[in-house]
Amino acid sequence: MPTNRRVTLAARPDGFPKESDFAFEEVDIPGPGTGEVLVHLSHASIDPYQRGRMSEARSYAKPMEIGDVITSQSIGEVVESNDARFAPGDRVVGQLGWQEYAVARGGSLRKVPAALEPPTLALHAVGATGMTAYFGLFDVGKPRPGETVVVSSAAGAVGQIAGQLAKLAGCRTVGIAGGPEKARDLRELYGYDAVIDYEDGAVSDALREERVDVYFDNVGGEISQAVHRRLNVGARIVICGQISQYNEVRPQPAFHPGLLIVHRARMEGFLINDFSHRFDETATRLARWVATGELRWKEDVTEGLENAPRAFIGMLNGGNRGKALVKIR
Ligand SMILES: NC(=O)c1ccc[n+]([C@@H]2O[C@H](COP(=O)([O-])OP(=O)(O)OC[C@H]3O[C@@H](n4cnc5c(N)ncnc54)[C@H](OP(=O)(O)O)[C@@H]3O)[C@@H](O)[C@H]2O)c1
């Protein structure tokens, strides 16, 4: 009899997560109830926000409880459906977790178009991270042609798309990432005009000649402080993420509000979930750019569900080169 293999939260991480904070279990495959669908998953997403859900600190979503399956976007095929909108064989994406089989309400799933190749694009460039880049850049950052857009964690899942979208909008792009391999991807794959490897020296020195109109901030901390020193008048700072602070017991504020006065600048955070009413049209737009080659992407796939915790810890350490995913089967 096949079983459901899954990864659950064994303990709330104290600071940086450890593999012992996770448990690997085999349980019976659940059956779908009224209006529900059973999905056999092939890939799951590895994301920084999962760290937040492991903590009890107040946030925009309720925390995972000990014993819960690790929350994630995942894709797979429908095997059984009690919702007329889905049939066995349909490929779907949803918040289905780090597990091999998941039951979900039909209304919480989105179909992955058959033409999307590879289908894992629905977990990044044409899915949540691509849309995060899209809404953060265009709706919050509002770039204008000729402006300079700086992106931190620029080789990551969100960053690789944000930089290319800024380029499509006619901007000069500056990407910041850690290490020579990521720096090469920024230059050769994602077409950044200027590249800063922060492992190579001071970011503020490397930015000396830049005047930043839009800062797409994925990291916070010292890197962001260096960018804040190079703002142009009227700059927009898009707070997408603050990954450098996620494992800190006492996160350090990176920003001096007086800078907003000096540069008549605006700083705004956003959440991808607030744009859900525009997901379908935006996925179509992103898929078109991917199909024409205007939007390039890289995924970093770890084999085996049991290795998901290691991949997650690796991603928090900067080990992923592209969108971090786990291949379940
Ligand atoms: N607002 C939203 O709705 C939303 C949605 C999705 C994601 N996000 C945020 O977007 C950011 C990027 O997420 P992603 O999924 O694209 O992850 P990612 O960039 O693919 O992976 C995380 C990367 O963060 C960098 N990093 C880790 N610790 C760092 C530190 N101390 N200082 C500087 N960089 C560090 C590493 O890249 P380097 O090797 O280059 O340092 C690592 O590879 C995260 O902050 C995430 O929380 C926000």
Side-chain angles (χ1 to χ4, degrees):
M1 275 291 283
T3 54
N4 185 24
R5 302 176 304 125
R6 61 189 200 178
V7 180
T8 60
L9 184 66
R12 296 199 187 281
D14 180 15
F16 216 91
K18 323 179 274 308
E19 289 202 38
S20 58
D21 296 329
F22 301 86
F24 189 76
E25 298 176 348
E26 293 202 22
V27 296
D28 290 341
I29 296 170
T34 309
E36 289 184 334
V37 175
L38 174 66
V39 188
H40 192 190
L41 300 172
S42 63
H43 294 81
S45 185
I46 309 264
D47 291 274
Y49 75 84
Q50 292 162 328
R51 176 64 186 86
R53 300 281 172 90
M54 292 171 195
S55 147
E56 278 181 310
R58 184 168 169 265
S59 187
Y60 57 87
K62 79 176 182 40
M64 286 186 268
E65 299 300 329
I66 302 298
D68 280 356
V69 174
I70 302 299
T71 188
S72 76
Q73 288 261 299
S74 305
I75 58 167
E77 286 106 44
V78 171
V79 285
E80 211 179 317
S81 175
N82 293 330
D83 181 317
R85 291 170 290 185
F86 297 95
D90 285 349
R91 202 186 298 268
V92 293
V93 59
Q95 201 69 23
L96 301 170
W98 286 1
Q99 56 185 339
E100 191 171 348
Y101 289 90
V103 161
R105 295 203 61 76
S108 70
L109 300 172
R110 291 156 44 84
K111 276 193 195 168
V112 177
L116 196 65
E117 190 51 43
T120 46
L121 283 166
L123 291 174
H124 52 97
V126 180
T129 54
M131 295 202 217
T132 300
Y134 184 97
F135 295 119
L137 183 73
F138 291 125
D139 285 72
V140 185
K142 300 192 191 328
R144 292 184 285 266
E147 289 191 328
T148 295
V149 176
V150 174
V151 181
S152 52
S153 195
V158 175
Q160 59 177 258
I161 304 298
Q164 294 181 85
L165 293 178
K167 199 83 195 132
L168 285 170
C171 299
R172 170 181 163 73
T173 55
V174 181
I176 307 174
E181 291 184 325
K182 290 186 182 182
R184 191 169 349 113
D185 288 345
L186 295 187
R187 220 175 282 115
E188 294 174 7
L189 200 54
Y190 312 130
Y192 278 91
D193 294 299
V195 170
I196 299 172
D197 172 1
Y198 68 81
E199 291 177 4
D200 215 20
V203 173
S204 53
D205 288 351
L207 280 171
R208 193 177 299 116
E209 303 301 322
E210 304 288 352
R211 284 294 166 268
V212 181
D213 298 297
V214 177
Y215 175 37
F216 194 104
D217 186 6
N218 285 314
V219 305
E222 284 175 20
I223 290 174
S224 293
Q225 278 168 345
V227 181
H228 298 158
R229 280 183 220 122
R230 305 287 177 224
L231 296 180
N232 213 347
V233 170
R236 285 83 71 201
I237 302 170
V238 181
I239 303 297
C240 175
Q242 299 280 284
I243 194 168
S244 71
Q245 305 299 304
Y246 293 171
N247 297 300
E248 300 294 330
V249 179
R250 282 185 222 297
Q252 293 300 312
F255 194 70
H256 191 298
L259 285 173
L260 295 180
I261 306 170
V262 175
H263 301 289
R264 279 78 94 205
R266 180 167 62 77
M267 180 184 238
E268 185 177 336
F270 76 100
L271 263 186
I272 173 71
N273 306 4
D274 297 339
F275 295 89
S276 55
H277 56 293
R278 288 166 55 198
F279 280 3
D280 285 342
E281 67 180 65
T282 307
T284 304
R285 193 165 295 168
L286 291 165
R288 206 177 302 128
W289 277 321
V290 168
T292 59
E294 287 167 283
L295 209 47
R296 301 169 79 182
W297 51 272
K298 190 173 198 133
E299 53 186 32
D300 187 331
V301 184
T302 297
E303 291 276 336
L305 186 59
E306 64 283 6
N307 295 318
R310 194 168 45 76
F312 174 68
I313 293 165
M315 179 273 298
L316 291 175
N317 271 319
N320 58 311
R321 195 168 164 200
K323 167 65 196 159
L325 298 175
V326 63
K327 185 169 187 287
I328 298 170
R329 64 182 170 90

